[in-house]
Amino acid sequence: MENQSIMALDERYVAHTYGRAPVVFARGEGCRLYDESGRAYIDMGAGIAVSALGYGDAGWVRAVSEQAAALSHASNLYHTAPQARLAQVLCQRSGLARAFFCNSGAEANECAIKVARKHAADRFGENRRPVIITLLNSFHGRTLATLAATGQERFHHDFGPFPEGFGHVPANDAAALEAALDRPDVCALMLETVQGEGGVVALDADYIRLARELTARRGQLLMIDEVQTGNGRTGKRFSYEHFGIQPDVVSTAKGLAGGLPMGACLMSDEAAQALTPGAHGSTFGGNPVCAAAALYVQQRLTDELLAEVAQKGAWIRAELSALPGVTVSGLGLMLGVHCGKDAAALAAALLRRGVVALTAKDRLRLTPPLTIPWDDLRTAVDIIKEEITA
């Protein structure tokens, strides 16, 4: 009865921008979610790759609670310790020099866009280079600028006109990339190493390395969108580490604060020179409670945990790829499963059996908490295999 009343309230008062599943989650514990009736679900989605440590992690709860009790907000007109310490950790781990904090992945990408354009304006003056190249099948957010950057037409309907200054090229097409970067008005290239909303499709390693080489040669910024792939999701702290490159700008969010809304744009020292006082801002960005949560998540991203993420991802891939007609894409614990079945129908069937999974285009998307126990993982994968072969 309670579920029905909550869903009725949602239907009556919440904007209908989501196709919600018919379940009301009331609490989480470990890597399981519980609905209002107390039924348990193994979480293979982590709130779209957000709940990196699952639910109720004692250290995370303590970090959030203690900071909330001490200071919940002060604004960016003043210094706060959690924000400064988090900036230090992220910069040292990423190889970058400065951090700008915001509240979401789209905002982190908005910051990256502004950095690229102002960096070019500062450098070239009236001969500024405003164009940013992105890839077809990419996804960079739902603000107007990040939608314009997104290389998927299905997200563009009804929202134009869009801001100008973006060009799109096919992923993994070296010739097309080189031709686009040869344009005299291009200041930067933005890409995802794994196109999440595009179907969990990993870019070719040689293509990523070529992107770094071409942009460096032309004095253009290479900006890696790590909104979903960052914070340990692929078995590295940042996914670009798999390819031995160093970007100029990195955006990240989702798993950054383990469940609280936080984004960050990390920049090289040269790129960061574009952000002078007044050039950008955020009222809530770097909020002390969110920053304390993120510091704790970073503390938990040990080499041992990252190795286990890679191991679990490889195991899931092997288990599911062994099924007839099944292919698995992605990196680490960010996987796309193509099996010939309707992805939405498969996710719904899994939910009925107590497994929470996501979709991305025609694929089942699996992004469980990084800390998911092996027993839960085996149980969930067994159920997924049964539903795929049913």
Side-chain angles (χ1 to χ4, degrees), residues 63 67-68 71-75 80-83 262 284-293:
Q67 185 58 50
L71 178 68
S72 61
H73 180 72
S75 94
T80 58
Q83 182 182 135
M262 187 173 218
F284 294 104
N287 169 273
V289 178
C290 295

Side-chain angles (χ1 to χ4, degrees), residues 266-287:
L266 310 176
M267 299 155 281
S268 68
D269 190 60
E270 179 185 340
Q273 300 308 308
L275 290 190
T276 53
H280 198 39
S282 171
T283 296
F284 294 104
N287 169 273

Side-chain angles (χ1 to χ4, degrees), residues 35 80-81 89 152 157 183 251 265 284 310 315 320 342 372:
D35 66 18
T80 58
V89 170
Q152 296 191 60
H157 295 305
R183 290 176 49 174
S251 57
C265 181
F284 294 104
W315 180 81
L320 297 182
D342 180 81
I372 186 169

Side-chain angles (χ1 to χ4, degrees), residues 29-34 41-44 51-55 57 300 305 308-309 311-313 315-316 333 368-382:
E29 182 178 335
C31 295
R32 296 191 174 219
L33 292 164
Y34 294 83
Y41 300 75
I42 300 174
D43 187 7
M44 294 292 285
S51 301
L53 305 179
Y55 307 96
D57 179 277
R300 290 290 302 277
L305 177 61
E308 193 168 273
V309 167
Q311 183 183 7
K312 289 173 179 174
W315 180 81
I316 296 171
L333 286 178
L370 306 183
T371 54
I372 186 169
W374 277 103
D375 287 348
D376 282 353
L377 186 61
R378 291 188 181 98
T379 299
V381 169
D382 283 345

